[in-house]
Amino acid sequence: MVTTRGEQLYEGKAKILYATENPDQVIQYFKDDATAFNAQKRGTIVDKGVCNNRIASRLFELLEREGVPTHFVKQLSDREMLVKRLEIIPLEVTMRNITAGGMSRMLGIEEGLPLNPPVFEWHYKSDPLADPLINDDHILALKLATPQELETIRRLSAQVNDALKRYFAARGIDLVDFKLEFGRHKGAILLGDEISPDTCRFWEQGTKRKLDKDRFRRDLGDVEAAYQEILKRVLGETA
Ligand code: TMP
């Protein structure tokens, strides 16, 4: 069946969702738009959409092979990914292997300290509130998800971390931290959204060079080159 773009369902900061002729599937269209600090800073990263679509497609395929159920169906074009339609759970999971960003700010600690065990955080997905940190009790009391769903998401997030840490280490990159979103589809919990330099921190082993959106957030320059470098390493077949 040929999949064609139907009505626009939603436009987010980095992606647009379109309906397809199949009510169970939608198209994620990856834009070059970049925002930071809850959209107070805006810009364009040339060909970011193409890089992120290709990187996320590869990583979803990897995770499916590792037994993590995801919304990924297939890559349709340079900027389009066909995915299963999800009822998004309004939570963002952050997994941290090394201190950086929000955790360093919140606790007043330097960046670059290894975290053992990795740190799992729930954030409430809300732009007006800037995605505040919350705990299981908030989620259960507000009925954002069931206890069983929380357990599933924690287990899958740990599996994602193990798989991605190994995958990027084999490509000379430390996976510092990342953000995941999950949704419901026909009674199952699936990993949604994207996994890319927009949603992860990647540090080159040895040099500690940042190869992710922090180059944009912190005005470090060579932003496009960082996205291209991650794409190159993901496409390079290692281990
Ligand atoms: P943080 O340290 O700013 O909380 O970010 C943790 C990770 O989550 C980092 O890899 C970047 C990613 N992230 C997003 O994907 N979206 C966001 O809105 C934010 C703030 C972070």
Side-chain angles (χ1 to χ4, degrees):
M1 189 169 71
V2 185
T3 306
T4 49
R5 244 199 254 169
E7 170 203 358
Q8 182 176 317
L9 300 172
Y10 172 79
E11 176 156 12
K13 287 179 285 209
K15 296 188 290 296
I16 305 175
L17 287 187
Y18 295 96
T20 67
E21 49 279 86
N22 180 342
D24 290 332
Q25 297 183 343
V26 297
I27 292 172
Q28 289 201 129
Y29 177 92
F30 288 73
K31 302 191 284 185
D32 285 350
D33 299 353
T35 64
F37 314 116
N38 211 16
Q40 289 176 58
K41 176 178 175 137
R42 292 174 181 275
T44 300
I45 301 172
V46 176
D47 281 344
K48 170 170 85 77
V50 177
C51 290
N52 283 1
N53 187 24
R54 297 178 76 184
I55 293 166
S57 294
R58 278 297 176 108
L59 297 180
F60 280 135
E61 282 166 357
L62 165 81
L63 293 172
E64 289 279 353
R65 284 199 301 276
E66 298 269 342
V68 176
T70 79
H71 70 160
F72 181 75
V73 178
K74 62 178 172 179
Q75 194 187 323
L76 290 176
S77 69
D78 264 3
R79 290 178 183 273
E80 293 171 314
M81 181 191 289
L82 185 64
V83 296
K84 294 174 186 162
R85 186 192 284 256
L86 296 183
E87 180 199 334
I88 282 285
I89 299 172
L91 297 172
E92 296 191 358
V93 165
T94 304
M95 287 288 287
R96 302 181 187 274
N97 297 306
I98 299 175
T99 56
M103 179 172 172
S104 288
R105 251 191 332 273
M106 182 176 76
L107 299 177
I109 46 178
E110 66 182 286
E111 299 197 320
L113 306 175
L115 294 165
N116 223 330
V119 171
F120 176 102
E121 296 172 357
W122 296 112
H123 293 256
Y124 178 50
K125 188 173 158 67
S126 163
D127 280 342
L129 300 175
D131 306 334
L133 186 70
I134 57 173
N135 68 28
D136 291 53
D137 287 350
H138 295 111
I139 298 169
L140 296 175
L142 297 174
K143 305 213 175 335
L144 301 176
T146 67
Q148 200 187 5
E149 286 175 333
L150 294 194
E151 195 187 308
T152 303
I153 292 173
R154 271 186 185 267
R155 176 175 48 79
L156 294 176
S157 299
Q159 244 179 294
V160 170
N161 191 33
D162 288 344
L164 293 185
K165 245 190 329 195
R166 242 185 299 121
Y167 180 86
F168 280 102
R171 287 158 178 78
I173 288 169
D174 283 330
L175 177 64
V176 173
D177 56 29
F178 57 93
K179 185 265 295 178
L180 303 175
E181 296 184 31
F182 292 85
R184 306 180 182 100
H185 179 85
K186 300 184 174 179
I189 296 285
L190 304 184
L191 176 63
D193 195 52
E194 69 181 288
I195 304 176
S196 72
D198 272 13
T199 66
C200 304
R201 285 195 174 92
F202 297 121
W203 292 357
E204 184 173 54
Q205 287 175 354
T207 66
K208 303 274 182 223
R209 186 162 62 111
K210 297 184 198 317
L211 294 173
D212 57 64
K213 196 174 162 190
D214 269 351
R215 300 206 75 83
F216 168 78
R217 294 189 190 99
R218 303 178 186 194
D219 295 321
L220 300 176
D222 297 327
V223 184
E224 279 85 3
Y227 283 74
Q228 296 289 347
E229 182 63 31
I230 293 295
L231 175 61
K232 200 171 100 191
R233 301 224 188 175
V234 164
L235 294 180
E237 287 310 326
T238 320

